[in-house]
Amino acid sequence: MVVEKAGSSPPKPAGERCPQQQEPLGHVKKRQQQVCDGFTIKAMMKNTVVRGPPLAGAFKERPTKPTAFRKFYERGDFPIAVEHDTKGNKIAWKVEIEKLDYHYYLPLFFDGLCEMTFPYEFFARQGIHDMLEHGGNKILPVIPQLIIPIKINSGDGIDYSQQKRENIGDLIQETLEAFERCGGETAYINIKYMVPTYQSCILN
Amino acid sequence: KKSEVSGVMAKADIKPKSIHHAKKWSDDVENLYRFQQAGYRDEVEYKQVKQVDMVECWPETGFVKKLQRRDNTFYYYNKQRECEDKEVHKVKVYVY
């Protein structure tokens, strides 16, 4: 005799029973979620978790490619004497600065401002300093060739340390101010054209 | 100029009698610091070794501007003071 509970629905045939209610006895279904890549068939399944996109590396420090300054320095093309007993704050020049071809050397030294390792960074910075201090009227004709490397160096320092960026920024600012002072009437306009963020040190 | 040169040549034979270390910075100490950085005792020895009668200086401050070292390379110095206080005691002052 079959005892039916009050209010229960009539028994359905075995084939029409809800499949979800069927659980094999003695077997525990795993509910562990699986990790998979996005945009795959597996990602559309239930119980799967799509792992996030890989890092694009936008903020990763990018090593600078070797500059022309480094290549020339390592070839020994610069009129600089490398000293092993130096105190580290002065360059010994093989040739008098006043006799150097500024059109050739000054843009190369500015290109070396991208370098962040010793001795390249030191020689580039100190070399520019010496050449600007003692160049006099030799600097003026070279200014147009310097604006582009200055612009590149002022805008590409995002991965460098704050201290280095401030030193390079100060040097660039000082250089542009020197150009403006000795560049004549049209100096400011030309500098502003190439470096729009530059603020005049003469005009209000 | 010839008299200056002859004066220099006469000084070439003179060597310092005594030496002491600088205690306080001054313009003279600054120039001594620059000569000694380039490998010379002072202006006297520089003129003797390089056979020159003039040393290039900054007109604004009077500090040495450019020196040629013994290996014939050149040192260029800033217009303003370079010798820090912590370096002053290393500067040697020669007395003739």
Side-chain angles (χ1 to χ4, degrees), chain A:
Chain A
M1 186 171 91
V2 176
V3 176
E4 290 183 2
K5 290 182 182 176
S8 62
S9 56
K12 293 179 183 176
E16 292 181 4
R17 285 179 194 169
C18 180
Q20 288 182 347
Q21 293 177 355
Q22 285 181 346
E23 288 191 10
L25 295 173
H27 177 70
V28 178
K29 195 171 186 178
K30 291 183 180 176
R31 297 288 179 187
Q32 192 176 7
Q33 287 182 327
Q34 288 186 340
V35 180
C36 63
D37 291 327
F39 305 103
T40 58
I41 301 293
K42 208 173 179 182
M44 298 171 69
M45 289 170 58
K46 293 179 184 177
N47 295 336
T48 56
V49 174
V50 175
R51 69 168 64 93
L55 290 173
F59 297 99
K60 190 178 173 185
E61 185 171 331
R62 289 164 288 169
T64 54
K65 58 181 180 182
T67 58
F69 175 86
R70 184 186 284 228
K71 289 178 199 167
F72 278 75
Y73 177 86
E74 288 172 350
R75 272 188 352 209
D77 283 350
F78 285 145
I80 299 172
V82 180
E83 298 183 328
H84 299 287
D85 59 346
T86 184
K87 292 177 184 177
N89 58 349
K90 203 162 283 300
I91 291 180
W93 292 87
K94 291 179 189 170
V95 174
E96 289 178 273
I97 289 178
E98 298 89 333
K99 296 179 182 172
L100 285 178
D101 180 2
Y102 272 50
H103 280 282
Y104 178 73
Y105 285 108
L106 202 51
L108 274 175
F109 273 81
F110 269 94
D111 187 50
L113 285 179
C114 292
E115 297 287 346
M116 302 309 294
T117 54
F118 184 85
Y120 310 106
E121 176 262 342
F122 164 71
F123 279 121
R125 192 163 36 84
Q126 191 63 37
I128 290 171
H129 179 266
D130 287 352
M131 291 178 79
L132 292 182
E133 280 274 303
H134 301 273
N137 56 2
K138 294 186 75 166
I139 303 172
L140 186 60
V142 190
I143 291 177
Q145 292 171 253
L146 302 176
I147 299 298
I148 296 293
I150 287 175
K151 194 175 177 184
I152 290 171
N153 276 291
S154 64
D156 198 28
I158 55 174
D159 291 332
Y160 305 142
S161 69
Q162 182 70 23
Q163 184 185 8
K164 292 290 183 188
R165 196 194 321 171
E166 282 173 355
N167 286 342
I168 293 176
D170 288 345
L171 178 62
I172 291 170
Q173 179 68 23
E174 199 179 311
T175 305
L176 291 177
E177 285 176 1
F179 290 168
E180 189 185 355
R181 282 193 205 99
C182 63
E185 294 175 355
T186 59
Y188 174 70
I189 296 170
N190 283 298
I191 295 170
K192 189 75 174 176
Y193 176 74
M194 301 302 291
V195 187
T197 54
Y198 175 71
Q199 299 291 329
S200 172
C201 61
I202 298 174
L203 305 171
N204 288 328

Side-chain angles (χ1 to χ4, degrees), chain A residues 81 83 85-87 89-98 126 129-130 133-134, chain B residues 33 36-37 56 58 65-66 69 71-79 82 87 90:
Chain A
E83 298 183 328
D85 59 346
T86 184
K87 292 177 184 177
N89 58 349
K90 203 162 283 300
I91 291 180
W93 292 87
K94 291 179 189 170
V95 174
E96 289 178 273
I97 289 178
E98 298 89 333
Q126 191 63 37
H129 179 266
D130 287 352
E133 280 274 303
H134 301 273
Chain B
Y33 172 77
Q36 286 165 23
Q37 267 219 319
E56 202 168 328
W58 287 102
K65 185 179 181 185
K66 179 176 92 176
R69 301 171 72 211
D71 60 2
N72 292 328
T73 57
F74 294 91
Y75 261 4
Y76 287 85
Y77 298 90
N78 292 337
K79 197 185 303 184
E82 285 194 14
E87 303 285 327
K90 298 178 189 174

